[in-house]
């Protein structure tokens, strides 16, 4: 009778192993982590010198530059509400990330073009429009990216890999912020 119990236990163990076959790490996760690093790098790199740019190049007063800087920051942290609503009700996470990332890049492009004096574009207007687009972009993708990254894993088989992903994901956010 002892052999029958052992045999049955081995069969159940083999069945349990079949249920949790190793699943390869999703390759898309590397792009998500890299994109988040670059996004934080560009955002904090630009934000670090924004006040100086507003005062020295666009000739705003200290008070006006401070108001613009803090208004921009407020919109960056307010717009995730709309990014989440767009993702949940209209486009889904992937399309929201793609479309709003385009808006984000366009904002950086406008700010860059506004900083080149030989182009003859109105620098104040282009810079402020660029800041508005950056605020929409950073806020629009913020609620979607971590959830989209988590969606790449098959649970419960990849629960440990999912934990590792979030550790690396948040490390990339902080690394991009620190270097930016």
């Amino acid at each position: 009778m002892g052999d029958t119990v052992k045999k049955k236990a081995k069969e159940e163990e083999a069945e349990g192993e079949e249920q949790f076959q190793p699943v390869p790490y999703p390759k898309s996760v590397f792009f998500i982590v890299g994109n988040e690093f670059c996004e934080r790098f560009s955002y904090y790199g630009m934000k670090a010198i924004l006040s100086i740019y507003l005062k020295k190049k666009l000739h705003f007063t200290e008070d006006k530059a401070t108001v613009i800087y803090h208004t921009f920051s407020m919109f960056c942290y307010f717009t995730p509400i709309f990014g989440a609503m767009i993702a949940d009700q209209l486009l889904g996470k992937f399309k929201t990330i793609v479309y709003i990332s385009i808006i984000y890049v366009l904002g950086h492009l406008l700010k860059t073009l506004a900083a080149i004096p030989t182009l003859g574009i109105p620098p104040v207007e282009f810079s402020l429009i660029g800041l508005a687009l950056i605020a929409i972009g950073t806020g629009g993708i913020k609620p979607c990216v971590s959830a989209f990254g988590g969606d790449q894993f098959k649970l419960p088989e990849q629960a440990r890999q999912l934990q590792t992903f979030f550790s690396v994901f948040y490390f990339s956010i902080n690394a991009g912020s620190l270097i930016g």
Side-chain angles (χ1 to χ4, degrees), residues 62-83:
E62 178 84 27
D63 291 341
K64 189 75 166 175
T66 302
V67 168
I68 293 169
Y69 179 88
H70 289 293
T71 302
F72 169 71
S73 294
M74 184 272 304
F75 277 117
C76 289
Y77 289 101
F78 182 71
T79 53
I81 295 168
F82 299 109

Side-chain angles (χ1 to χ4, degrees), residues 129-145:
I129 292 170
L131 283 176
L133 293 177
I134 291 168
I136 290 168
T138 191
I141 66 172
K142 198 175 298 230
C144 303
V145 177

Side-chain angles (χ1 to χ4, degrees), residues 100-166:
I100 294 185
S101 289
I102 293 169
I103 293 171
Y104 196 157
V105 170
L106 184 61
H108 274 296
L109 182 65
L110 284 178
K111 278 203 51 47
T112 302
L113 293 175
I116 304 172
T118 57
L119 292 180
I121 346 181
V124 173
E125 292 83 358
F126 268 58
S127 292
L128 295 178
I129 292 170
L131 283 176
L133 293 177
I134 291 168
I136 290 168
T138 191
I141 66 172
K142 198 175 298 230
C144 303
V145 177
S146 60
F148 183 66
D151 289 346
Q152 306 307 304
F153 294 89
K154 185 177 179 185
L155 294 177
E157 296 90 342
Q158 292 183 306
R160 181 71 182 123
Q161 291 174 330
L162 180 63
Q163 290 174 353
T164 303
F165 162 72
F166 280 112

